[in-house]
Amino acid sequence: MDEMDLMKKLRDVPSPSPEAYDNARAALRTAMAEPVNTVVRPKRWFSWTRAGIAAVGAAAVAVAVVMGTTGGTVPTSPTAPAVAAPQEVESPLLKLASEVKAAGMPGDSSLIIRSSLAPDKSTYVFYTVYTDKGQRFQGDSPKSLKESAAKGEDASTDYDRKLMAAARLAATGDLEQAKRDMVNAAGCCWALGGTPAEQEKAWAEGLERRAEIFRMKGMEVPPAKPRPTGKELEDAINNTLWSNSTYALFIGAANADIRAGVLKLLATIKDVTIEKAELDGQQVLKLIAVPPVSSGEGAHVVTVDAGNGLPIRSEVVPDKGAQDPHSVANYKSSRVNLADIVAGRI
């Protein structure tokens, strides 16, 4: 029961990026109450430079994420005890977002270098360039990234563009509308902001799409569930907001507008805790999403630079037992010019 089986069923879908695989595991984990554990792919699965999320793949991920159950226990923080995030007006994320927004923004693209541990214990590095115009180029080496950009092999999706637009709106405009846009970006099942009839229709359509995922995997379709209400609904929406916002951060963080907007959106999730810490001599903030926001049996911890908000690490911390080293991804983000990438100046 994993996302690779699902992707094999979708043979006409272009090969997804590392972030897409991580989202797929999060999706199936939620839909099937599977324990949290970031997926690790062998190197050969990363060799495609034209990787991208096709519409059917993105829809499958989005539907599975929000149609499942949440649960689990609150894990012990990996370092000092975390303090529950205060009300939005007091959140350190808002102060950081303001500082990020005021900073200069040279270049025309974000370069994200993601490193993680492969099954053979080697380090796998993946390169993504997300331009301010909404293009995404990627590769598993500087050479393949250069070739992808030079050939104009744009791997971006409507999902990417909607997430980035929502983040930009959060940075500069209506935060509530931005939240609705971020949650609804994948066209899944919440119809946040819609009428009750529209929301019920979206939920029913989402159930059918979720059932199709199970049928493609040759699995028994779970019984249909009524649309959640109350705290269960709030938790599920926050799970979608967290998943979409952190994904936007991981691929577009070097853009100050996107980074500031994501920080403001994450500040609205009261069940995300914020912990000041030090990592390799650097002051950082740890954003900790525990069940039910994380949709699993442990915490999803996103570590950002305390001075500029750039993502440094994403990891899954179980509530008990040893941490799987494969569940950790490290990030380096910088502003670049696409012309330099095309020229091989990385």
Side-chain angles (χ1 to χ4, degrees):
M1 176 169 56
D2 62 34
E3 74 288 348
M4 291 303 167
D5 294 332
L6 173 58
M7 293 302 178
K8 289 174 182 177
K9 297 284 186 179
L10 304 176
R11 296 191 182 277
D12 294 331
V13 177
S15 304
S17 67
E19 290 81 4
Y21 276 117
D22 289 342
N23 279 0
R25 172 166 289 279
L28 292 171
R29 174 175 80 228
T30 305
M32 304 172 207
E34 179 180 332
V36 174
N37 188 7
T38 302
V39 63
V40 179
R41 288 74 50 186
K43 283 190 174 182
R44 54 185 166 77
W45 289 337
F46 281 137
S47 61
W48 305 293
T49 58
R50 296 192 179 190
I53 310 172
V56 63
V61 168
V63 172
V65 165
V66 298
M67 303 302 289
T69 59
T70 59
T73 56
V74 178
T76 301
S77 171
T79 54
V83 178
Q87 292 182 355
E88 180 186 335
V89 293
E90 301 175 354
S91 172
L93 295 184
L94 289 181
K95 181 177 182 295
L96 182 56
S98 297
E99 294 170 351
V100 167
K101 188 69 178 63
M105 194 173 66
D108 60 18
S109 304
S110 296
L111 171 63
I112 312 297
I113 303 175
R114 179 188 192 273
S115 61
S116 56
L117 191 65
D120 63 1
K121 297 184 179 181
S122 64
T123 299
Y124 181 77
V125 183
F126 196 81
Y127 299 78
T128 301
V129 167
Y130 197 90
T131 74
D132 294 343
K133 293 181 179 180
Q135 304 160 293
R136 177 156 58 92
F137 304 105
Q138 52 198 31
D140 53 12
S141 68
K143 181 176 183 293
S144 62
L145 176 63
K146 170 191 173 182
E147 292 172 349
S148 174
K151 294 176 182 178
E153 296 175 337
D154 184 2
S156 64
T157 66
D158 286 339
Y159 176 69
D160 294 340
R161 286 181 281 275
K162 289 177 180 177
L163 295 188
M164 299 309 167
R168 288 189 177 95
L169 178 60
T172 60
D174 186 338
L175 185 59
E176 283 303 311
Q177 183 61 53
K179 178 179 177 180
R180 290 192 289 270
D181 291 348
M182 184 64 79
V183 170
N184 294 333
C188 54
C189 56
W190 296 131
L192 196 61
T195 66
E198 290 169 339
Q199 291 173 345
E200 287 297 337
K201 179 181 178 182
W203 179 256
E205 292 173 346
L207 284 174
E208 177 52 36
R209 290 195 294 270
R210 175 175 177 254
E212 183 58 27
I213 295 172
F214 281 84
R215 285 192 286 267
M216 284 191 295
K217 290 177 64 66
M219 300 173 63
E220 182 179 353
V221 177
K225 301 185 299 181
R227 189 175 189 271
T229 58
K231 185 63 165 61
E232 184 183 3
L233 176 62
E234 178 186 349
D235 290 339
I237 290 174
N238 281 338
N239 167 252
T240 304
L241 179 61
W242 168 267
S243 298
N244 287 354
S245 296
T246 53
Y247 174 80
L249 185 69
F250 293 146
I251 70 171
N255 181 297
D257 288 340
I258 291 171
R259 186 161 79 256
V262 166
L263 293 173
K264 290 176 71 174
L265 287 167
L266 293 178
T268 69
I269 308 177
K270 67 177 184 299
D271 290 331
V272 170
T273 59
I274 303 168
E275 179 183 291
K276 294 181 180 180
E278 185 174 297
L279 179 64
D280 298 330
Q282 180 178 0
Q283 295 301 308
V284 300
L285 294 177
K286 291 191 173 185
L287 315 182
I288 305 173
V290 297
V293 175
S294 68
S295 296
E297 296 178 349
H300 180 196
V301 181
V302 174
T303 301
V304 302
D305 187 305
N308 58 29
L310 287 173
I312 297 173
R313 179 170 296 172
S314 172
E315 58 187 315
V316 174
V317 180
D319 59 349
K320 57 185 178 180
Q323 182 176 9
D324 181 353
H326 294 155
S327 70
V328 178
N330 294 304
Y331 291 85
K332 292 183 179 179
S333 309
S334 60
R335 289 292 289 177
V336 297
N337 288 301
L338 181 60
D340 290 334
I341 300 298
V342 172
R345 295 189 292 270
I346 300 175

